[in-house]
């Protein structure tokens, strides 16, 4: 049987990850957090002190030999090893996210990561979240979603998430960081953040997580 593919794209902080994991577990599908691959590559480059705009030879060498081992095993449990070094938690901060947005502008980096992303298609299916899952990497997906929410709401959700982790942050700064990444992701020349023509747009501003989950699973049930 051909594996089914569900793509969930959208801006930073919209809650794609939470929803994508719930949907993947509900259908017993694999889950790909494509942003974690951009973050891993960005951190590897930074650890090797490679500037992708200046150190072209070293950058190409790293792209050719890097081994990003991403695994998903239910209940949101993701592990990432880069060249056998654990990156799972090290990539989850705003500094790495910002570096990832820079790396994401580079076409060689995107091409290399696209191959890794497509290796995660598995039976019975895959839920992939990111910025260009529906427009570029999995154009053949059975169903595509694009989640949106106001920047204020996204910042508020991020603030609560950070609070739960015991990390202090403030709303105006979070709004600034999200606007910075929105601009970088929507204005870049290659694979910018835009909804696929055949994507279903879900505005989550006034919806709870379970309302978004119900909306999405209903649509999937109709089509898959
Ligand atoms: O989703 P996450 O916040 O982890 O992504 C980090 C950055 O990686 C994004 O801001 C974006 O620039 C880049 N990215 C991308 N394409 C994807 C996933 C992430 O360009 N499919």
């Amino acid at each position: 049987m051909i594996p089914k593919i569900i793509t969930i794209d959208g801006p930073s902080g919209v809650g794609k990850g939470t929803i994508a994991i719930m949907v993947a577990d509900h259908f017993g599908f694999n889950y790909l957090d494509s942003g974690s691959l951009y973050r891993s590559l960005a951190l590897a480059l930074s650890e090797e002190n490679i500037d992708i705009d200046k150190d072209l030879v070293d950058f190409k060498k790293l792209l050719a030999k890097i081994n990003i081992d991403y695994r998903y095993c239910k209940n949101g449990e993701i592990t990432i090893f880069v060249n056998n070094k654990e990156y799972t938690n090290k990539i989850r901060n705003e500094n790495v996210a910002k570096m990832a947005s820079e790396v994401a502008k580079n076409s060689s980096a995107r091409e290399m990561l696209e191959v890794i992303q497509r290796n995660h298609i598995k039976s019975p299916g895959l839920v992939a979240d990111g910025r260009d899952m529906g427009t570029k990497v999995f154009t053949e997906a059975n169903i595509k979603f694009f989640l949106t929410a106001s920047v204020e709401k996204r910042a508020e959700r991020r603030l609560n998430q950070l609070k739960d982790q015991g990390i202090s942050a403030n709303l105006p700064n979070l709004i600034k960081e999200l606007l910075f990444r929105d601009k970088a992701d929507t204005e870049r020349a290659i694979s910018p953040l835009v909804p696929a023509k055949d994507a279903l747009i879900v505005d989550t501003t006034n919806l709870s997580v379970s309302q978004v989950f119900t909306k999405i699973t209903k649509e999937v049930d109709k089509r898959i």
Side-chain angles (χ1 to χ4, degrees), residues 9-13 16 33-39 91-92 94 96-105 110 113 117 129-133 137 158 181-182 184-185 188 190-193:
D9 287 305
S12 308
K16 304 182 293 286
D33 166 9
S34 63
S36 71
L37 304 181
Y38 284 88
R39 289 169 183 254
I91 55 167
R92 303 292 172 195
E94 197 50 39
V96 174
K98 259 195 180 154
M99 297 193 302
S101 276
E102 281 307 306
V103 170
K105 292 180 191 160
R110 298 200 76 88
L113 291 179
Q117 289 165 39
D129 89 41
R131 307 293 186 290
D132 61 343
M133 299 294 94
V137 182
R158 182 59 58 87
R181 278 216 277 152
D182 283 357
D185 290 343
R188 69 169 171 244
I190 26 167
S191 296
L193 172 68

Side-chain angles (χ1 to χ4, degrees), residues 35-66:
S36 71
L37 304 181
Y38 284 88
R39 289 169 183 254
S40 298
L41 176 59
L43 185 59
L45 286 163
S46 143
E47 286 186 347
E48 299 275 328
N49 265 320
I50 297 172
D51 179 330
I52 56 171
D53 297 318
K54 292 188 192 135
D55 311 321
L56 216 60
V57 175
D58 288 338
F59 171 51
K60 295 272 161 151
K61 266 193 206 156
L62 184 134
L63 279 191
K65 68 164 206 256
I66 195 169

Side-chain angles (χ1 to χ4, degrees), residues 103-116:
V103 170
K105 292 180 191 160
N106 184 283
S107 58
S108 310
R110 298 200 76 88
E111 276 163 28
M112 188 279 282
L113 291 179
E114 185 169 333
V115 176
I116 300 181

Side-chain angles (χ1 to χ4, degrees), residues 4-216:
K4 308 283 186 208
I5 301 177
I6 301 169
T7 59
I8 304 182
D9 287 305
S12 308
V14 76
K16 304 182 293 286
T18 307
I19 296 295
I21 285 167
M22 288 169 75
V23 174
D25 286 357
H26 176 78
F27 291 106
F29 284 10
N30 190 20
Y31 164 59
L32 173 67
D33 166 9
S34 63
S36 71
L37 304 181
Y38 284 88
R39 289 169 183 254
S40 298
L41 176 59
L43 185 59
L45 286 163
S46 143
E47 286 186 347
E48 299 275 328
N49 265 320
I50 297 172
D51 179 330
I52 56 171
D53 297 318
K54 292 188 192 135
D55 311 321
L56 216 60
V57 175
D58 288 338
F59 171 51
K60 295 272 161 151
K61 266 193 206 156
L62 184 134
L63 279 191
K65 68 164 206 256
I66 195 169
N67 172 32
I68 304 178
D69 181 6
Y70 166 100
R71 286 176 203 210
Y72 180 64
C73 75
K74 267 209 274 199
N75 302 322
E77 251 181 72
I78 296 168
T79 56
I80 303 178
F81 284 77
V82 175
N83 298 335
N84 298 319
K85 250 172 57 184
E86 176 137 35
Y87 268 34
T88 310
N89 300 317
K90 280 204 290 187
I91 55 167
R92 303 292 172 195
N93 61 67
E94 197 50 39
N95 189 33
V96 174
K98 259 195 180 154
M99 297 193 302
S101 276
E102 281 307 306
V103 170
K105 292 180 191 160
N106 184 283
S107 58
S108 310
R110 298 200 76 88
E111 276 163 28
M112 188 279 282
L113 291 179
E114 185 169 333
V115 176
I116 300 181
Q117 289 165 39
R118 291 202 57 91
N119 283 340
H120 289 282
I121 301 174
K122 275 187 197 154
S123 267
L126 171 72
V127 179
D129 89 41
R131 307 293 186 290
D132 61 343
M133 299 294 94
T135 51
K136 179 80 181 40
V137 182
F138 302 107
T139 49
E140 81 275 35
N142 301 80
I143 186 160
K144 302 174 183 179
F145 295 94
F146 191 89
L147 305 188
T148 63
S150 71
V151 69
E152 291 79 13
K153 193 71 182 191
R154 287 185 280 138
E156 207 179 288
R157 288 177 188 158
R158 182 59 58 87
L159 188 72
N160 290 334
Q161 234 176 23
L162 291 171
K163 259 193 202 157
D164 289 346
Q165 296 165 13
I167 302 167
S168 65
N170 74 66
L171 208 58
N173 270 351
L174 288 174
I175 291 178
K176 243 202 276 175
E177 283 166 2
L178 287 174
L179 288 174
F180 176 88
R181 278 216 277 152
D182 283 357
K183 190 169 158 54
D185 290 343
T186 52
E187 290 181 3
R188 69 169 171 244
I190 26 167
S191 296
L193 172 68
V194 283
K197 287 200 176 70
D198 48 348
L200 295 167
I201 298 182
V202 182
D203 183 350
T204 71
T205 309
N206 297 312
L207 299 179
S208 67
V209 169
S210 65
Q211 284 171 321
V212 179
F213 171 75
T214 306
K215 224 177 161 79
I216 287 186

